[in-house]
mmCIF file of all heavy atoms in Angstrom:
data_model
loop_
_atom_site.group_PDB
_atom_site.id
_atom_site.type_symbol
_atom_site.label_atom_id
_atom_site.label_comp_id
_atom_site.label_asym_id
_atom_site.label_seq_id
_atom_site.Cartn_x
_atom_site.Cartn_y
_atom_site.Cartn_z
ATOM 1 N N ALA A 1 89.695 106.781 90.665
ATOM 2 C CA ALA A 1 90.301 107.761 91.525
ATOM 3 C C ALA A 1 91.731 107.349 91.642
ATOM 4 O O ALA A 1 92.043 106.163 91.693
ATOM 5 C CB ALA A 1 89.536 107.721 92.858
ATOM 6 N N GLU A 2 92.510 108.313 91.793
ATOM 7 C CA GLU A 2 94.009 108.140 91.875
ATOM 8 C C GLU A 2 94.447 108.713 93.237
ATOM 9 O O GLU A 2 93.889 109.603 93.814
ATOM 10 C CB GLU A 2 94.893 108.821 90.839
ATOM 11 C CG GLU A 2 94.569 108.248 89.446
ATOM 12 C CD GLU A 2 95.393 108.963 88.350
ATOM 13 O OE1 GLU A 2 96.443 109.598 88.671
ATOM 14 O OE2 GLU A 2 95.061 108.922 87.187
ATOM 15 N N THR A 3 95.695 108.245 93.718
ATOM 16 C CA THR A 3 96.235 108.820 94.819
ATOM 17 C C THR A 3 97.782 108.678 94.705
ATOM 18 O O THR A 3 98.295 108.136 93.661
ATOM 19 C CB THR A 3 95.868 108.076 96.138
ATOM 20 O OG1 THR A 3 96.276 108.931 97.241
ATOM 21 C CG2 THR A 3 96.456 106.623 96.313
ATOM 22 N N GLU A 4 98.482 109.338 95.528
ATOM 23 C CA GLU A 4 99.923 109.251 95.548
ATOM 24 C C GLU A 4 100.334 107.999 96.231
ATOM 25 O O GLU A 4 100.156 107.890 97.452
ATOM 26 C CB GLU A 4 100.534 110.525 96.271
ATOM 27 C CG GLU A 4 102.037 110.493 96.371
ATOM 28 C CD GLU A 4 102.675 110.796 94.920
ATOM 29 O OE1 GLU A 4 102.092 111.521 94.073
ATOM 30 O OE2 GLU A 4 103.839 110.327 94.716
ATOM 31 N N MET A 5 100.851 106.931 95.474
ATOM 32 C CA MET A 5 101.210 105.739 96.103
ATOM 33 C C MET A 5 102.582 105.926 96.807
ATOM 34 O O MET A 5 103.409 106.725 96.496
ATOM 35 C CB MET A 5 101.368 104.645 94.957
ATOM 36 C CG MET A 5 100.140 104.310 94.210
ATOM 37 S SD MET A 5 98.743 103.618 95.251
ATOM 38 C CE MET A 5 99.487 101.994 95.651
ATOM 39 N N ASP A 6 102.812 105.172 97.892
ATOM 40 C CA ASP A 6 104.029 105.124 98.700
ATOM 41 C C ASP A 6 105.064 104.515 97.804
ATOM 42 O O ASP A 6 105.106 103.344 97.516
ATOM 43 C CB ASP A 6 103.761 104.422 99.969
ATOM 44 C CG ASP A 6 105.017 104.492 100.886
ATOM 45 O OD1 ASP A 6 106.053 105.045 100.537
ATOM 46 O OD2 ASP A 6 104.987 103.905 102.006
ATOM 47 N N PRO A 7 106.202 105.311 97.461
ATOM 48 C CA PRO A 7 107.197 104.738 96.696
ATOM 49 C C PRO A 7 107.977 103.597 97.364
ATOM 50 O O PRO A 7 108.406 102.613 96.725
ATOM 51 C CB PRO A 7 108.212 105.910 96.586
ATOM 52 C CG PRO A 7 107.421 107.105 96.631
ATOM 53 C CD PRO A 7 106.267 106.706 97.611
ATOM 54 N N LEU A 8 107.968 103.581 98.694
ATOM 55 C CA LEU A 8 108.526 102.415 99.407
ATOM 56 C C LEU A 8 107.776 101.084 99.041
ATOM 57 O O LEU A 8 108.419 99.924 98.980
ATOM 58 C CB LEU A 8 108.478 102.646 100.937
ATOM 59 C CG LEU A 8 109.099 101.611 101.795
ATOM 60 C CD1 LEU A 8 110.620 101.356 101.368
ATOM 61 C CD2 LEU A 8 108.906 101.931 103.305
ATOM 62 N N LEU A 9 106.501 101.164 98.746
ATOM 63 C CA LEU A 9 105.760 99.952 98.303
ATOM 64 C C LEU A 9 106.402 99.347 97.067
ATOM 65 O O LEU A 9 106.451 98.147 96.882
ATOM 66 C CB LEU A 9 104.354 100.268 98.077
ATOM 67 C CG LEU A 9 103.373 99.132 97.719
ATOM 68 C CD1 LEU A 9 103.383 98.044 98.765
ATOM 69 C CD2 LEU A 9 101.957 99.727 97.446
ATOM 70 N N PHE A 10 106.772 100.163 96.156
ATOM 71 C CA PHE A 10 107.482 99.746 94.886
ATOM 72 C C PHE A 10 108.766 99.010 95.238
ATOM 73 O O PHE A 10 109.116 98.101 94.646
ATOM 74 C CB PHE A 10 107.637 100.883 93.956
ATOM 75 C CG PHE A 10 106.306 101.635 93.663
ATOM 76 C CD1 PHE A 10 106.385 102.937 93.483
ATOM 77 C CD2 PHE A 10 105.207 100.950 93.454
ATOM 78 C CE1 PHE A 10 105.190 103.758 93.253
ATOM 79 C CE2 PHE A 10 103.968 101.640 93.228
ATOM 80 C CZ PHE A 10 103.964 103.077 93.062
ATOM 81 N N ASP A 11 109.504 99.544 96.253
ATOM 82 C CA ASP A 11 110.775 98.982 96.720
ATOM 83 C C ASP A 11 110.456 97.662 97.294
ATOM 84 O O ASP A 11 111.158 96.612 96.983
ATOM 85 C CB ASP A 11 111.465 99.915 97.720
ATOM 86 C CG ASP A 11 111.925 101.219 97.026
ATOM 87 O OD1 ASP A 11 112.177 101.219 95.860
ATOM 88 O OD2 ASP A 11 112.180 102.154 97.764
ATOM 89 N N VAL A 12 109.453 97.572 98.092
ATOM 90 C CA VAL A 12 109.155 96.228 98.707
ATOM 91 C C VAL A 12 108.783 95.209 97.511
ATOM 92 O O VAL A 12 109.318 94.109 97.599
ATOM 93 C CB VAL A 12 107.954 96.348 99.620
ATOM 94 C CG1 VAL A 12 107.426 94.995 100.076
ATOM 95 C CG2 VAL A 12 108.277 97.117 100.898
ATOM 96 N N LEU A 13 108.007 95.611 96.628
ATOM 97 C CA LEU A 13 107.712 94.734 95.488
ATOM 98 C C LEU A 13 108.933 94.351 94.725
ATOM 99 O O LEU A 13 109.242 93.228 94.359
ATOM 100 C CB LEU A 13 106.601 95.475 94.573
ATOM 101 C CG LEU A 13 106.033 94.607 93.469
ATOM 102 C CD1 LEU A 13 105.389 93.279 94.041
ATOM 103 C CD2 LEU A 13 105.021 95.420 92.772
ATOM 104 N N TRP A 14 109.726 95.298 94.417
ATOM 105 C CA TRP A 14 110.988 95.106 93.588
ATOM 106 C C TRP A 14 111.872 94.114 94.335
ATOM 107 O O TRP A 14 112.451 93.180 93.810
ATOM 108 C CB TRP A 14 111.645 96.369 93.335
ATOM 109 C CG TRP A 14 112.857 96.220 92.378
ATOM 110 C CD1 TRP A 14 112.789 96.012 90.982
ATOM 111 C CD2 TRP A 14 114.194 96.179 92.702
ATOM 112 N NE1 TRP A 14 114.123 95.972 90.478
ATOM 113 C CE2 TRP A 14 115.019 96.002 91.547
ATOM 114 C CE3 TRP A 14 114.937 96.324 93.851
ATOM 115 C CZ2 TRP A 14 116.291 96.009 91.541
ATOM 116 C CZ3 TRP A 14 116.279 96.183 93.949
ATOM 117 C CH2 TRP A 14 116.926 96.023 92.735
ATOM 118 N N HIS A 15 112.165 94.328 95.609
ATOM 119 C CA HIS A 15 113.037 93.522 96.347
ATOM 120 C C HIS A 15 112.503 92.097 96.427
ATOM 121 O O HIS A 15 113.215 91.127 96.416
ATOM 122 C CB HIS A 15 113.414 94.090 97.797
ATOM 123 C CG HIS A 15 114.302 95.307 97.764
ATOM 124 N ND1 HIS A 15 115.544 95.216 97.386
ATOM 125 C CD2 HIS A 15 114.022 96.519 98.134
ATOM 126 C CE1 HIS A 15 116.136 96.357 97.490
ATOM 127 N NE2 HIS A 15 115.189 97.237 97.968
ATOM 128 N N THR A 16 111.220 91.994 96.564
ATOM 129 C CA THR A 16 110.615 90.731 96.651
ATOM 130 C C THR A 16 110.762 89.844 95.367
ATOM 131 O O THR A 16 111.148 88.625 95.423
ATOM 132 C CB THR A 16 109.016 90.888 96.988
ATOM 133 O OG1 THR A 16 108.921 91.502 98.162
ATOM 134 C CG2 THR A 16 108.349 89.382 97.018
ATOM 135 N N THR A 17 110.663 90.612 94.115
ATOM 136 C CA THR A 17 110.891 89.926 92.862
ATOM 137 C C THR A 17 112.302 89.400 92.845
ATOM 138 O O THR A 17 112.644 88.372 92.331
ATOM 139 C CB THR A 17 110.615 90.811 91.681
ATOM 140 O OG1 THR A 17 111.500 91.865 91.671
ATOM 141 C CG2 THR A 17 109.135 91.252 91.710
ATOM 142 N N ARG A 18 113.322 90.254 93.411
ATOM 143 C CA ARG A 18 114.701 89.908 93.309
ATOM 144 C C ARG A 18 114.960 88.647 94.161
ATOM 145 O O ARG A 18 115.714 87.752 93.820
ATOM 146 C CB ARG A 18 115.538 91.044 93.730
ATOM 147 C CG ARG A 18 115.416 92.310 92.929
ATOM 148 C CD ARG A 18 115.987 92.197 91.584
ATOM 149 N NE ARG A 18 117.478 92.304 91.859
ATOM 150 C CZ ARG A 18 118.261 92.690 90.932
ATOM 151 N NH1 ARG A 18 117.885 93.249 89.793
ATOM 152 N NH2 ARG A 18 119.601 92.689 91.208
ATOM 153 N N ILE A 19 114.456 88.578 95.299
ATOM 154 C CA ILE A 19 114.655 87.473 96.216
ATOM 155 C C ILE A 19 114.127 86.179 95.710
ATOM 156 O O ILE A 19 114.851 85.150 95.787
ATOM 157 C CB ILE A 19 113.904 87.673 97.693
ATOM 158 C CG1 ILE A 19 114.697 88.850 98.366
ATOM 159 C CG2 ILE A 19 114.053 86.499 98.592
ATOM 160 C CD1 ILE A 19 113.859 89.522 99.505
ATOM 161 N N VAL A 20 112.923 86.191 95.077
ATOM 162 C CA VAL A 20 112.460 84.917 94.468
ATOM 163 C C VAL A 20 112.951 84.620 93.093
ATOM 164 O O VAL A 20 112.787 83.576 92.520
ATOM 165 C CB VAL A 20 110.943 84.850 94.496
ATOM 166 C CG1 VAL A 20 110.396 84.935 95.887
ATOM 167 C CG2 VAL A 20 110.246 85.931 93.564
ATOM 168 N N GLY A 21 113.648 85.632 92.465
ATOM 169 C CA GLY A 21 114.198 85.386 91.144
ATOM 170 C C GLY A 21 113.107 85.561 90.016
ATOM 171 O O GLY A 21 113.273 84.914 89.039
ATOM 172 N N PHE A 22 112.232 86.362 90.271
ATOM 173 C CA PHE A 22 111.130 86.559 89.252
ATOM 174 C C PHE A 22 111.485 87.743 88.405
ATOM 175 O O PHE A 22 111.643 88.831 88.852
ATOM 176 C CB PHE A 22 109.725 86.790 89.912
ATOM 177 C CG PHE A 22 108.609 86.882 89.023
ATOM 178 C CD1 PHE A 22 108.104 85.784 88.337
ATOM 179 C CD2 PHE A 22 108.039 88.144 88.792
ATOM 180 C CE1 PHE A 22 107.044 85.927 87.501
ATOM 181 C CE2 PHE A 22 107.015 88.345 87.937
ATOM 182 C CZ PHE A 22 106.454 87.137 87.225
ATOM 183 N N GLY A 23 111.427 87.530 87.039
ATOM 184 C CA GLY A 23 111.691 88.522 86.076
ATOM 185 C C GLY A 23 110.521 88.895 85.119
ATOM 186 O O GLY A 23 110.703 89.699 84.170
ATOM 187 N N GLY A 24 109.259 88.289 85.391
ATOM 188 C CA GLY A 24 108.225 88.551 84.471
ATOM 189 C C GLY A 24 107.229 89.626 84.833
ATOM 190 O O GLY A 24 107.722 90.492 85.648
ATOM 191 N N SER A 25 106.092 89.738 84.377
ATOM 192 C CA SER A 25 105.131 90.695 84.614
ATOM 193 C C SER A 25 104.355 90.425 85.986
ATOM 194 O O SER A 25 103.913 89.283 86.005
ATOM 195 C CB SER A 25 104.116 90.995 83.659
ATOM 196 O OG SER A 25 104.866 91.635 82.472
ATOM 197 N N ILE A 26 104.302 91.226 86.906
ATOM 198 C CA ILE A 26 103.627 91.060 88.090
ATOM 199 C C ILE A 26 102.134 91.386 87.862
ATOM 200 O O ILE A 26 101.803 92.464 87.410
ATOM 201 C CB ILE A 26 104.183 91.983 89.325
ATOM 202 C CG1 ILE A 26 105.593 91.725 89.414
ATOM 203 C CG2 ILE A 26 103.316 91.875 90.570
ATOM 204 C CD1 ILE A 26 106.511 92.793 90.044
ATOM 205 N N GLU A 27 101.276 90.503 88.287
ATOM 206 C CA GLU A 27 99.814 90.644 88.260
ATOM 207 C C GLU A 27 99.324 91.443 89.456
ATOM 208 O O GLU A 27 99.613 90.966 90.625
ATOM 209 C CB GLU A 27 99.016 89.382 88.132
ATOM 210 C CG GLU A 27 99.125 88.656 86.878
ATOM 211 C CD GLU A 27 98.430 87.433 86.788
ATOM 212 O OE1 GLU A 27 97.647 87.024 87.727
ATOM 213 O OE2 GLU A 27 98.434 86.726 85.756
ATOM 214 N N VAL A 28 98.667 92.608 89.310
ATOM 215 C CA VAL A 28 98.222 93.427 90.346
ATOM 216 C C VAL A 28 96.611 93.164 90.376
ATOM 217 O O VAL A 28 95.959 93.631 89.552
ATOM 218 C CB VAL A 28 98.535 94.969 90.189
ATOM 219 C CG1 VAL A 28 97.963 95.740 91.286
ATOM 220 C CG2 VAL A 28 100.058 95.129 90.170
ATOM 221 N N LEU A 29 96.171 92.543 91.459
ATOM 222 C CA LEU A 29 94.828 92.371 91.679
ATOM 223 C C LEU A 29 94.074 93.565 92.311
ATOM 224 O O LEU A 29 92.933 93.873 91.986
ATOM 225 C CB LEU A 29 94.530 91.187 92.531
ATOM 226 C CG LEU A 29 94.729 89.738 91.874
ATOM 227 C CD1 LEU A 29 96.169 89.596 91.483
ATOM 228 C CD2 LEU A 29 94.279 88.721 92.598
#
């Protein structure tokens, strides 16, 4: 099943990667 994910969630994730300096692939559990 799919849903419309909140685009702000992607921003939270993106900003978090920038803060910690991570540039690899994020594992989604």
Side-chain angles (χ1 to χ4, degrees):
E2 294 181 24
T3 194
E4 182 72 28
M5 299 295 291
D6 183 357
L8 183 58
L9 180 61
F10 306 139
D11 293 337
V12 170
L13 186 57
W14 185 80
H15 287 298
T16 302
T17 64
R18 304 284 290 206
I19 293 167
V20 300
F22 182 73
S25 291
I26 300 159
E27 290 183 358
V28 179
L29 284 69

